[in-house]
Amino acid sequence: MGKLMASTSTQLIASFAAAALASWGAWRAQMTDSAQGRWLLAALIALAYLVFCTVTVLKYRRVQREQEKLWAADDGCTDSGAAAGTVLIAFASQTGFAEQLALQSAQSLRKGGMAVRMLPLGRITEQDFQAARQALFIASTTGEGDAPDGASGFARRMAEAADGASLAGLQFGVLALGDRGYARYCAFGHALEAWLRRRHAQPLFDTVEVDNGDEGALRHWQHQLGVLSGHTDDADWSAPSYSRWRLAQRRLLNPGSAGGPAFHLSLTPLDLPAPQWQAGDIAEIGPRNSDEAVRRFMWALSLKGAPLAQALAGRMLPQEAAAIDALRGLAPEQVLAQLTPLPHREYSIASLPEDGALDLLVRRMAQADGRPGIGSGWLTLHALEGQEIALRVRNNSSFHTPPDASPLILIGNGTGLAGLRAHLRARAVAGHRRNWLVFGERSRATDFFHRSEIEAWQAQGMLERLDLAFSRDQAERIYVQDKLRQSADLLRQWVGQGAYIYVCGSLQGMASGVACALQDILGEEALIALAEQGRYRRDVY
């Protein structure tokens, strides 16, 4: 009712203004001949300006209300606060790109069943921060490291209240938009991250930097959203431009393990020139459905044809009977139009280009219904050795090897050893020997991945120190964070000598446990300073 009245009022005022302006010429001719006429003309001008301002304000308020409804969607959240469990998404946009990404992020989380509240960063209050348990920030940087105009007031508040009330209960993620052509690349996003850390908020994952809308970085952000919501089936916002690779070798690393099977994969390029990469970079894989899954789907819908089977191999195939029934009777091209493409999957690269192959460490995962995971099932079960694999190398500059001979502490568990292995290979090539590996898994007998290689590095002096945490080999569970605490004095000594700390592995459990241990050993301020200096980096998933 209120919206209808506002709309009607706007229309009436606009009609009045139009009528007044239409009579402008006749009135002006009659009034300019006398002093009284000139006064009346001035009054009419003032009235017309007032009407114009009123119409503009009403239109702005209507657009703002519609925009806020879009931000809040159906979550039942208002400016008075967020419902329990709601994820706060704050954006700082100069051109509208950050707001667009915030909307896409909100939609992704909602598909995973999460409630979302979305607001411009400039409108976020201290009460909003205190009420939130999880928050995502999408922040552009303008000029030489400045906040967008709409967030300039918030930036001043950050500077004035660098050490405000604790936000220890808040978990956050930052998507920093910038341009590497400027000296202070993504500066506002990083300033926001540092401000949150100093108020004791805990990062869900490392800040994702986006250079000029880089699609690979945005896919990584979308991947993190899927991890957060548990909904990882969304089609990519932008499909990677894959290269053609061949699965040259697949080897089971942990036969007899109590954990899921983990494999070492070697892939070689079919397209030349072969893509180049550095230690720390990521392989984006384009997964495919198994031949058997495609055959079952086509049989259920009485479909035939090799070209259709090839196309269906790259689509999400519904499993529920009702969803399959809804496709009956459609032409093949209509069926394809109803199915979304399979999303990419990300894996840390475990080798260097000079090794002659791109190596991965992949554990076979299971979906909720027991089927193998989309990416891990394809790589470890369905694809045959010699088969073509769609792969794109994504630059991950925030996890590249330190540029000098500074000491390097590498911490990881499980298949997180992949990224650490690439760094150790890079350090060996460079002749940098001050390396300390802390690795954890279930059992030494079955889960010591790449044991002979690691022990050879140790014997050759490439590993100055090696700490292993096999959690199931004794009554008391021991993890990598426990090994760090046991070596607290030595850890402080290495950091004092300029060491970098790199963490690779599972976000849940390992990464958070390591962060707590490092904070206890080094102190919160020192750990924050290491992160700001680029000496504490993580590749966690």
Side-chain angles (χ1 to χ4, degrees):
M1 184 66 177
K3 181 177 179 180
L4 177 61
M5 291 178 64
S7 177
T8 302
S9 299
T10 302
Q11 293 173 2
L12 289 173
I13 294 172
S15 298
F16 175 78
L21 291 173
S23 304
W24 170 262
W27 279 70
R28 185 177 183 276
Q30 296 176 18
M31 291 181 177
T32 51
D33 293 336
S34 65
Q36 182 180 12
R38 286 193 291 272
W39 279 106
L40 288 173
L41 179 60
L44 180 59
I45 292 172
L47 179 60
Y49 181 72
L50 177 62
V51 169
F52 170 76
C53 291
T54 303
V55 170
T56 301
V57 169
L58 287 174
K59 181 179 179 181
Y60 171 78
R61 288 178 177 174
R62 184 174 69 254
V63 170
Q64 190 176 46
R65 282 195 299 270
E66 292 172 354
Q67 193 172 43
E68 289 174 353
K69 181 182 291 187
L70 180 63
W71 293 340
D74 298 321
D75 295 332
C77 300
T78 67
D79 281 348
S80 61
T86 297
V87 179
L88 176 65
I89 297 182
F91 62 90
S93 188
Q94 187 70 22
T95 64
F97 186 45
E99 181 177 356
Q100 173 191 332
L101 294 175
L103 283 167
Q104 287 179 278
S105 300
Q107 291 165 0
S108 292
L109 294 181
R110 286 169 181 142
K111 288 179 181 178
M114 302 186 79
V116 177
R117 183 186 183 213
M118 180 177 151
L119 285 174
L121 185 60
R123 290 180 52 189
I124 300 293
T125 66
E126 183 64 25
Q127 290 72 25
D128 294 323
F129 280 115
Q130 295 296 334
R133 290 295 171 264
Q134 290 184 326
L136 300 175
F137 300 88
I138 302 173
S140 293
T141 295
T142 64
E144 292 295 342
D146 298 325
D149 294 341
S152 58
F154 185 87
R156 286 194 297 272
R157 285 163 49 197
M158 284 171 48
E160 294 167 358
D163 300 310
S166 174
L167 296 176
L170 177 66
Q171 295 178 307
F172 72 91
V174 175
L175 182 68
L177 311 180
D179 182 341
R180 286 195 184 276
Y182 290 90
R184 301 192 63 204
Y185 172 60
C186 292
F188 180 60
H190 286 298
L192 179 59
E193 176 199 5
W195 181 77
L196 290 163
R197 283 180 180 269
R198 292 190 181 281
R199 295 189 63 183
H200 315 295
Q202 296 299 315
L204 288 160
F205 43 81
D206 283 6
T207 291
V208 177
E209 297 178 345
V210 181
D211 179 23
N212 274 325
D214 175 56
E215 293 180 345
L218 292 176
R219 282 192 296 273
H220 180 56
W221 172 259
Q222 187 184 8
H223 164 78
Q224 297 288 15
L225 296 177
V227 172
L228 182 61
S229 69
H231 181 71
T232 58
D233 295 345
D234 265 0
D236 294 329
W237 291 350
S238 63
S241 178
Y242 294 118
S243 297
R244 298 163 57 245
W245 292 70
R246 181 178 71 91
L247 178 56
Q249 182 190 55
R250 179 169 59 211
R251 176 167 55 92
L252 179 64
L253 291 174
N254 59 343
S257 173
F263 296 82
H264 175 91
L265 309 175
S266 289
L267 300 100
T268 53
L270 293 173
D271 293 333
L272 295 175
Q276 295 297 297
W277 68 89
Q278 299 183 48
D281 285 345
I282 301 294
E284 295 183 343
I285 298 293
R288 309 280 284 176
N289 293 307
S290 69
D291 292 343
E292 177 59 27
V294 172
R295 279 195 295 268
R296 287 199 308 268
F297 180 79
M298 294 179 68
W299 179 83
L301 294 178
S302 300
L303 297 172
K304 296 180 181 180
L308 177 60
Q310 179 71 9
L312 288 171
R315 296 293 204 280
M316 290 291 299
L317 302 181
Q319 303 299 311
E320 301 80 10
I324 295 175
D325 287 343
L327 300 174
R328 295 191 190 281
L330 298 180
E333 59 272 15
Q334 293 174 313
V335 172
L336 287 174
Q338 295 293 315
L339 304 177
T340 60
L342 286 170
H344 83 282
R345 289 295 185 258
E346 298 187 349
Y347 301 96
S348 299
I349 300 176
S351 61
L352 303 176
E354 47 264 44
D355 295 329
L358 187 151
D359 293 346
L360 304 175
L361 274 65
V362 179
R363 191 185 301 276
R364 186 181 300 155
M365 307 301 290
Q367 301 184 59
D369 59 5
R371 289 179 298 134
I374 291 174
S376 64
W378 166 240
L379 289 175
T380 69
L381 183 63
H382 304 314
L384 303 177
E385 287 192 1
Q387 190 162 352
E388 183 176 317
I389 302 294
L391 184 151
R392 174 187 182 272
V393 173
R394 178 172 65 78
N395 177 62
N396 186 23
S397 59
S398 63
F399 203 65
H400 284 170
T401 307
D404 53 30
S406 298
L408 178 60
I409 304 170
L410 298 165
I411 306 166
N413 71 331
T415 55
L417 180 62
L420 307 185
R421 179 178 186 255
H423 283 298
L424 285 169
R425 285 176 168 264
R427 298 277 286 185
V429 169
H432 299 155
R433 307 171 74 87
R434 294 219 60 199
N435 304 304
W436 176 0
L437 175 63
V438 186
F439 172 68
E441 247 293 345
R442 288 175 173 81
S443 171
R444 179 186 289 264
T446 58
D447 302 299
F448 193 168
F449 305 153
H450 295 293
R451 177 175 183 168
S452 59
E453 185 176 46
I454 291 172
E455 290 180 340
W457 280 329
Q458 188 179 26
Q460 296 161 7
M462 290 309 304
L463 265 179
E464 185 172 317
R465 184 176 177 90
L466 173 63
D467 283 300
L468 301 170
F470 293 107
S471 59
R472 309 303 201 271
D473 281 357
Q474 60 283 310
E476 179 187 1
R477 297 291 171 87
I478 297 177
Y479 302 102
V480 290
Q481 55 264 39
D482 301 315
K483 289 294 184 179
L484 294 176
R485 294 182 192 278
Q486 292 170 12
S487 304
D489 290 341
L490 184 61
L491 180 65
R492 283 189 286 266
Q493 179 182 329
W494 275 54
V495 170
Q497 294 169 350
Y500 287 69
I501 300 174
Y502 280 32
V503 182
C504 191
S506 59
L507 176 62
Q508 301 299 327
M510 189 279 295
S512 57
V514 167
C516 289
L518 292 175
Q519 183 171 305
D520 291 343
I521 294 167
L522 303 174
E524 184 179 29
E525 287 299 316
L527 191 59
I528 291 172
L530 287 176
E532 292 175 350
Q533 296 164 15
R535 290 172 55 199
Y536 173 42
R537 304 186 179 199
R538 307 190 306 169
D539 177 16
V540 296
Y541 42 85

